[in-house]
Amino acid sequence: MTHIYDLFLKGGPVMWPLLALSVFTITIALERTWFWIRLLSQENRIVHDVLETARYDLLEAQKIAQHARFLPIGRFLLAPLQLKKPSPETFRLAMEARGDREFIQMRKGDKFLETVIAVAPLLGLLGTVTGLITTFNNLKIGEGANLAETSQAAAGISEALITTAAGMIVAIIALLVYRVSVTLQSGQVEYFAEVGTDLELIYRQFWYEPELEEKQKFSTALPPTI
């Protein structure tokens, strides 16, 4: 631990913003990890229960989705089910609108990670430049350098190398977190579209079309008005 602290100090002042970026990156990574673990471990069960129940009881399906509203998939399914006798177009529109809002929430932290991916290497490069400047300032070309000057030059080279490595490490971690997050988001877009289509078909087949047929039969059975 002492070795890491000494290495950090040798990196110079640029290490402090890199440390701040790494802390925020790790915080986002942990928060997103918890988010995805909780979602992926429960959403299949929730979707199965809602779709199966919606075939015979929309109100009960709504209650199941209501209980799962702490998850994006629960809020997505709840949006159309809480409408009162909507048309299929309104039913689908409610899902699409809710899905768009959920996808925005899923992208939480992506902008910051993109910034870290771009800025961290530049900070590392800045540390490299300042370290080399220190090195050349402490070197006396053409003159015999004493031990103290040689040590200062070595410290400048060390600062240059440490900040470069630190900047790359922070950027690589942020890139990995970002790419995993984007991959999971893409999977959820496809999954939400599939689930939404299944729920809409159930609504049309078991609820909207039978009700429409009943209305047509009733209107046909009425005696003509004079």
Side-chain angles (χ1 to χ4, degrees):
M1 193 69 180
T2 304
H3 176 69
I4 296 175
Y5 180 71
D6 292 339
L7 198 64
F8 176 84
L9 293 179
K10 289 179 181 178
V14 178
M15 294 294 289
W16 291 103
L18 285 174
L19 176 63
L21 291 179
S22 65
V23 169
F24 284 118
T25 299
I26 293 173
T27 301
I28 291 175
L30 293 175
E31 188 274 332
R32 291 289 87 186
T33 299
W34 169 245
F35 170 84
W36 287 110
I37 288 176
R38 188 174 63 162
L39 175 60
L40 297 177
S41 64
Q42 301 182 56
E43 66 177 359
N44 286 334
R45 175 182 55 81
I46 294 170
V47 167
H48 175 269
D49 292 346
V50 170
L51 293 183
E52 288 299 316
T53 306
R55 296 175 184 273
Y56 60 86
D57 192 336
L58 282 182
L59 184 59
E60 188 63 29
Q62 178 185 342
K63 291 179 180 178
I64 296 173
Q66 183 78 21
H67 290 150
R69 66 185 182 277
F70 60 93
L71 292 176
I73 192 66
R75 295 189 292 269
F76 174 73
L77 295 171
L78 179 62
L81 291 174
Q82 63 187 1
L83 300 176
K84 295 183 178 180
K85 296 183 179 180
S87 65
E89 291 75 18
T90 303
F91 193 89
R92 182 173 62 255
L93 182 60
M95 282 192 296
E96 291 176 351
R98 185 73 245 182
D100 290 341
R101 290 196 289 272
E102 295 304 328
F103 296 145
I104 291 174
Q105 290 297 316
M106 288 182 189
R107 291 191 288 269
K108 179 182 177 183
D110 284 2
K111 293 297 182 184
F112 179 80
L113 292 175
E114 290 175 352
T115 302
V116 174
I117 293 167
V119 171
L122 295 178
L123 285 174
L125 181 60
L126 176 62
T128 301
V129 173
T130 57
L132 292 176
I133 290 174
T134 302
T135 300
F136 287 119
N137 284 339
N138 291 315
L139 283 176
K140 294 183 179 180
I141 306 300
E143 301 179 13
N146 57 35
L147 182 59
E149 291 171 348
T150 304
S151 299
Q152 290 175 350
I157 296 174
S158 177
E159 177 181 335
L161 296 176
I162 291 171
T163 53
T164 302
M168 293 177 64
I169 290 172
V170 173
I172 289 171
I173 294 173
L175 180 60
L176 290 175
V177 175
Y178 176 75
R179 291 309 306 171
V180 170
S181 182
V182 168
T183 301
L184 291 172
Q185 291 164 17
S186 299
Q188 285 298 296
V189 170
E190 297 176 1
Y191 186 69
F192 273 46
E194 179 184 347
V195 170
T197 300
D198 291 343
L199 183 59
E200 182 184 353
L201 288 174
I202 290 173
Y203 178 72
R204 285 176 177 268
Q205 181 181 1
F206 291 92
W207 301 97
Y208 182 76
E209 292 178 358
E211 184 177 350
L212 192 61
E213 291 176 0
E214 287 294 327
K215 289 181 179 179
Q216 291 176 347
K217 290 180 180 179
F218 180 76
S219 61
T220 303
L222 289 176
T225 57
I226 300 176

